[in-house]
Amino acid sequence: MGFMDHWCLWIWGILMSARSLVLVSGSPAFEFQCSKVIRQGDPLSPFLFLTVMEALSCMIVKVCEVGLMTGLQLPNGGPTVSHLLYEDDVMIIGEWSEQNIRNVARILKCFRLSSGLQINFHKSSLYGGEVDGEEVNHMAEVLRCKPSSFPCKYLGIKVGVNMNRISNWDLIIRVFKE
C-alpha cells in the first residue's frame, strides 16, 4: 500500500514482540510469547484493521478492473458498485453468475492467506435478488455460507422492500428522530 519498509518493520516489530507476564500472588512468575499478537481493544487494532480492509478493497477493485468480477451497475449512468465496507462489515455486490461467485470465493481465500484474517462464514450470508432459491442454496455451498433471501435488515435498515410504501420508511424515520 506504499508504506515505507522502515515503517512496516516497526509495525511488524510491535506485533511480534508481544509478551505477557504471569503474576503469582503479585510477584512475576514467568514470561511467555503471545500466540495471538494483537487483541481486541489494542490501540493499534483499529488502524491495522482499516489498513487490511483497504487492502481487501483494492483486491476487489483490481479483480473488477481486469474483468474477473462484475459489480452492480446503478441506473441512470450511475457508478458500478462492487463492495461496501462499514466498520468490520463487508458487503460484496455483483451480478449473479457462477463465475462471479467463484471469483468472490477466490478473493476471500487470497485475502485470508495474505492477511491471516479468517472470514466467519457462519455469520456470512448470500442473497440472490431475483434468483431461484435452489440456485442461492447451491452457490451458498460454494462460498460455505448461509443462503438468505430478501427482504432483510442491513445495518438496521430494511433492504429489498418496496420503498414506495410509506410504512417501509418508518424504521429510518424513527432512527433519525431518536
Side-chain angles (χ1 to χ4, degrees):
M1 291 185 59
F3 293 114
M4 298 190 67
D5 290 341
H6 198 70
W7 185 88
C8 292
L9 288 173
W10 284 344
I11 298 300
W12 188 250
I14 291 168
L15 296 175
M16 296 312 296
S17 65
R19 298 187 179 281
S20 292
L21 186 68
V22 175
L23 298 176
V24 177
S25 299
S27 299
F30 61 93
E31 184 179 82
F32 60 94
Q33 180 82 25
C34 297
S35 62
K36 302 281 186 188
V37 293
I38 195 163
R39 290 179 194 80
Q40 187 174 357
D42 188 303
L44 195 56
S45 183
F47 172 73
L48 291 176
F49 184 77
L50 289 174
T51 304
V52 171
M53 287 298 102
E54 180 64 21
L56 174 61
S57 181
C58 290
M59 289 171 68
I60 295 170
V61 167
K62 186 65 173 175
V63 167
C64 288
E65 283 175 355
V66 298
L68 294 174
M69 186 181 136
T70 307
L72 191 63
Q73 175 68 48
L74 297 180
N76 302 324
T80 300
V81 178
S82 58
H83 61 289
L84 299 171
L85 305 173
Y86 181 76
E87 291 187 1
D88 65 345
D89 200 60
V90 177
M91 181 186 291
I92 300 175
I93 303 165
E95 289 183 6
W96 187 271
S97 73
E98 185 167 343
Q99 188 64 32
N100 242 12
I101 291 169
R102 291 194 183 279
N103 284 333
V104 166
R106 290 179 183 109
I107 291 167
L108 295 175
K109 183 176 183 179
C110 289
F111 174 72
R112 180 181 56 83
L113 292 172
S114 63
S115 70
L117 294 177
Q118 182 68 32
I119 290 106
N120 187 342
F121 287 103
H122 297 292
K123 289 184 177 179
S124 302
S125 299
L126 179 69
Y127 295 87
E130 297 175 0
V131 180
D132 177 70
E134 272 191 45
E135 178 75 11
V136 174
N137 290 341
H138 170 68
M139 298 306 347
E141 287 177 17
V142 169
L143 286 173
R144 299 183 336 266
C145 66
K146 298 183 295 193
S148 295
S149 60
F150 292 110
C152 67
K153 274 190 176 180
Y154 179 68
L155 301 176
I157 297 174
K158 289 181 185 178
V159 177
V161 295
N162 181 355
M163 296 312 286
N164 289 330
R165 297 185 66 199
I166 294 172
S167 63
N168 288 333
W169 287 93
D170 289 345
L171 179 65
I172 297 170
I173 292 168
R174 193 169 40 247
V175 166
F176 280 98
K177 282 184 177 179
E178 292 176 355

